Amino acid sequence: MKRVLMCLSVMIPSVGYCCPSLDGTWTSSIEKFESFNKKWANIEDKAWSFMIQTQGIEVIKYNGENKMSINSPEIEIKVGEKKMKRPPSEERITFNVLGCTSKSIAMQYERYGEKKISQLHFENEDTYWVYMGSAGTDGNSHIREYYTRNKSN
């Protein structure tokens, strides 16, 4: 037991120093979404048509206090011959960091009335990606959504 506590006391302080920074404003990247998912994801044509219209618009702001706001503008989506408007939305979400490395952050939060866990994978200090969907349902398609930090922060 004493050995475990010693290891934790050595490891825990270093965890805080190696976590990537989320502070600032991050925008969904349609370019990175298309580039990766066209090549690697398993997406049917109809789903791709929908996704390509809804990606690259979401903006997430992290404030350094384990809070984020997610904003999406109003958009018009074409489904077959029909057009529909998706209204703008703004969500304020509190999250807990479950753990991190120098290249990833695992966080838990509640969204749409459900508890969720996401892992953010950092390509560099200003780009991260997350898998879309959830395991066991629609999460097996290898679809990534990318976010880039706005430089004007």
Side-chain angles (χ1 to χ4, degrees):
M1 182 66 163
K2 187 175 181 182
R3 188 175 189 176
V4 171
L5 290 175
M6 280 182 33
C7 287
L8 287 176
S9 68
V10 170
M11 289 174 23
I12 290 175
S14 64
V15 169
Y17 297 112
C18 69
C19 289
S21 171
L22 285 173
D23 290 349
T25 302
W26 299 76
T27 303
S28 176
S29 171
I30 189 66
E31 295 83 10
K32 290 185 177 294
F33 175 86
E34 283 188 64
S35 175
F36 177 85
N37 292 305
K38 274 185 181 178
K39 184 174 183 179
W40 298 106
N42 181 17
I43 307 172
E44 295 178 8
D45 290 343
K46 287 182 182 179
W48 181 259
S49 174
F50 178 80
M51 286 181 169
I52 208 68
Q53 296 177 72
T54 59
Q55 298 303 303
I57 60 167
E58 189 172 78
V59 175
I60 302 176
K61 294 179 183 177
Y62 295 94
N63 70 0
E65 297 176 3
N66 288 10
K67 293 182 182 179
M68 62 179 154
S69 66
I70 304 174
N71 297 281
S72 297
E74 177 180 78
I75 59 170
E76 186 173 88
I77 303 168
K78 185 176 180 187
V79 180
E81 297 299 316
K82 294 182 180 180
K83 290 183 180 179
M84 58 187 202
K85 286 191 178 186
R86 189 173 80 179
S89 66
E90 180 177 353
E91 302 171 78
R92 297 189 186 285
I93 298 172
T94 301
F95 63 91
N96 292 313
V97 173
L98 300 176
C100 67
T101 69
S102 62
K103 297 279 186 191
S104 70
I105 297 175
M107 63 170 60
Q108 182 178 31
Y109 54 95
E110 190 170 315
R111 190 172 188 194
Y112 309 126
E114 292 182 28
K115 286 190 177 187
K116 299 184 180 273
I117 295 176
S118 290
Q119 185 170 4
L120 287 58
H121 303 269
F122 285 77
E123 290 188 347
N124 58 53
E125 67 181 23
D126 294 322
T127 305
Y128 74 82
W129 59 267
V130 293
Y131 277 119
M132 296 176 69
S134 57
T137 58
D138 55 352
N140 300 323
S141 301
H142 199 51
I143 304 167
R144 292 180 181 180
E145 183 165 12
Y146 283 82
Y147 292 89
T148 56
R149 189 188 329 247
N150 295 4
K151 295 292 186 181
S152 60
N153 290 330

